[in-house]
Amino acid sequence: MSASVRVFASSSSWIESDAVDQCHRVAALDGMLHVAGMPDLHPGKGAPIGAAMHSTVLYPFLVGSDIGCGIAVFPIALKRPVPEKLAARFPDLDRSPADDDPAWDFVGRDVPLGHLEGIGTVGRGNHFVELARLSTGGLVLIVHSGSRGLGESILRDHTSQHGAGPAASPADYLKAHDEAVRWGSLNRRLMAARVAYALGATPADPIVDECHNSVEWRDGGYLHRKGAANGDGRDVLVAGTRGTRSYLVRGHAGPEAGWSVAHGAGRKMSRSDALRRGKAKHTVEELRRTPLGSLVVCGDRQLLFEEAPTAYKKIEQVIDDLTSFGLATPIAETVPLVTYKTADRGPRR
């Protein structure tokens, strides 16, 4: 028999049938106990994104390749922030910091597994580093990134032998997984320190740092989260788009929701659709300056269109669903000033 499935989305929320179908396919796996879909639920490669999946069997593919991906929020003190000036001062987060970069002194040099490739870089896709204004006062850096190639190599080692099957040795997988989670957190802290120094500020420890691609032992089973954050008494930043607010919420989700909350707005278009429709609807300059007046640093024109705000669901609806289902309570909003996606090395055309 298949495990139970529940999607925490109201009738006014747009959830693709393919994503719900994926939830039910996961529910039919051996050992599966329960599948919870978040209001940002959307289809992924083989497994839904925006879901918490509880099972007596550990399935690495339900965590995916970017083990430890998460969002951290760091306070930062700047006087009279001007987006145009600050955007030009962001460091190149496509390249790892030099050995003498002061950011290393702030975070330390204990790099999990000694994996230096990609350390201190943001990556592609929906990852970003953002300077934002907090509605309750002050400025914050928001960093969304994960374990880069390390998590990918861990999943590849598994799938090369076992495909989408369970972990042959849960203990061995969890040992590597935990190191990737630690690596992802270090990566976010290192980038935040790099940006803080570049903007003339003093780095700070995060006030929020929650992973949303992970697995843990919980209540008699393995709780896999793919695009879902720990919502059991935790503060979580639920990311909007590059042209909208994000929301800091306090999670209080129970077992029916997999002790989880949404991690973002959730895609409503594939990247290819977003690219095709975006080019017909937007110009590059329109996407580099948002309706909120914030700036987007992105030298990859294709990525600009793929990550356009219109490619995502409305973050307000996601937050309304989390609230109405009793999974989270909003604490504050963040309004973007500068969002870094990838370095802009050439002239803007």
Side-chain angles (χ1 to χ4, degrees), residues 18 28 164 179 240 257-258 264 329:
D18 286 350
E179 290 295 279
T329 300

Side-chain angles (χ1 to χ4, degrees), residues 82-135:
V82 179
E84 290 80 4
K85 293 181 179 179
L86 295 174
R89 294 173 62 181
F90 265 63
D92 186 347
L93 298 176
D94 295 347
R95 296 172 178 167
S96 294
D99 287 343
D100 61 353
D101 193 303
W104 282 115
D105 296 329
F106 182 77
V107 303
R109 297 176 184 266
D110 178 19
V111 179
L113 301 178
H115 185 84
L116 294 175
E117 183 180 352
I119 191 72
T121 64
V122 67
R124 288 293 193 271
N126 63 347
H127 294 164
F128 65 89
V129 177
E130 183 169 279
L131 175 67
R133 190 178 300 280
L134 200 60
S135 62

Side-chain angles (χ1 to χ4, degrees), residues 9-346:
S10 62
S11 59
S12 56
S13 295
W14 187 76
I15 303 290
E16 289 182 71
S17 59
D18 286 350
V20 178
D21 289 345
Q22 281 189 333
C23 286
H24 284 282
R25 286 197 290 273
V26 168
L29 293 173
D30 289 344
M32 196 60 59
L33 301 170
H34 180 64
V35 177
M38 300 293 107
D40 61 335
L41 183 72
H42 56 285
K45 295 180 179 179
I49 300 173
M53 298 151 283
H54 200 206
S55 173
T56 59
V57 177
L58 198 165
Y59 291 98
F61 90 98
L62 294 181
V63 177
S65 60
D66 199 6
I67 304 166
C69 185
I71 298 178
V73 181
F74 303 80
I76 184 170
L78 297 171
K79 294 181 179 179
R80 296 183 295 276
V82 179
E84 290 80 4
K85 293 181 179 179
L86 295 174
R89 294 173 62 181
F90 265 63
D92 186 347
L93 298 176
D94 295 347
R95 296 172 178 167
S96 294
D99 287 343
D100 61 353
D101 193 303
W104 282 115
D105 296 329
F106 182 77
V107 303
R109 297 176 184 266
D110 178 19
V111 179
L113 301 178
H115 185 84
L116 294 175
E117 183 180 352
I119 191 72
T121 64
V122 67
R124 288 293 193 271
N126 63 347
H127 294 164
F128 65 89
V129 177
E130 183 169 279
L131 175 67
R133 190 178 300 280
L134 200 60
S135 62
T136 53
L139 302 174
V140 292
L141 286 173
I142 302 170
V143 184
H144 176 198
S145 191
S147 59
R148 310 290 280 112
L150 177 58
E152 185 178 3
S153 68
I154 293 170
L155 181 65
R156 186 168 60 247
D157 288 346
H158 168 80
T159 56
S160 64
Q161 300 181 60
H162 309 289
S169 170
D172 288 345
Y173 173 81
L174 286 172
K175 182 178 180 181
H177 162 281
D178 291 350
E179 290 295 279
V181 169
R182 195 163 69 89
W183 197 100
S185 180
L186 173 66
N187 195 41
R188 292 187 285 276
R189 289 186 285 116
L190 183 58
M191 280 190 282
R194 293 182 70 187
V195 173
Y197 281 125
L199 300 185
T202 301
D205 291 327
I207 56 173
V208 169
D209 187 6
E210 285 300 325
C211 169
H212 49 242
N213 287 354
S214 64
V215 61
E216 64 174 288
W217 182 260
R218 181 73 184 257
D219 199 30
Y222 296 102
L223 179 61
H224 311 76
R225 292 186 174 103
K226 181 69 179 292
N230 187 338
D232 187 9
R234 306 291 188 93
D235 289 352
V236 176
L237 193 287
V238 185
T241 71
R242 305 297 59 78
T244 64
R245 290 168 169 79
S246 296
Y247 289 80
L248 188 64
V249 305
R250 180 152 298 151
H252 31 77
E256 189 70 10
W259 301 276
S260 303
V261 296
H263 79 306
R267 294 195 73 92
K268 69 177 181 181
M269 292 184 202
S270 67
R271 294 191 174 276
S272 59
D273 283 347
L275 181 62
R276 175 175 52 82
R277 297 184 188 184
K279 285 185 173 181
K281 188 174 182 179
H282 305 290
T283 67
V284 168
E285 286 307 316
E286 284 174 344
L287 294 177
R288 282 179 164 152
R289 183 177 288 277
T290 76
L292 294 176
S294 63
L295 299 180
V296 178
V297 178
C298 183
D300 186 330
R301 294 163 66 96
Q302 179 173 323
L303 185 62
L304 265 175
F305 289 109
E306 291 176 348
E307 288 292 302
T310 50
Y312 285 82
K313 303 176 186 183
K314 292 186 179 299
I315 185 61
E316 295 82 5
Q317 183 65 61
V318 171
I319 299 301
D320 285 348
D321 284 354
L322 290 175
T323 302
S324 63
F325 282 104
L327 305 187
T329 300
I331 301 172
E333 301 174 11
T334 65
V335 181
L337 297 176
V338 178
T339 305
Y340 179 103
K341 296 290 293 180
T342 183
D344 190 358
R345 298 189 176 90

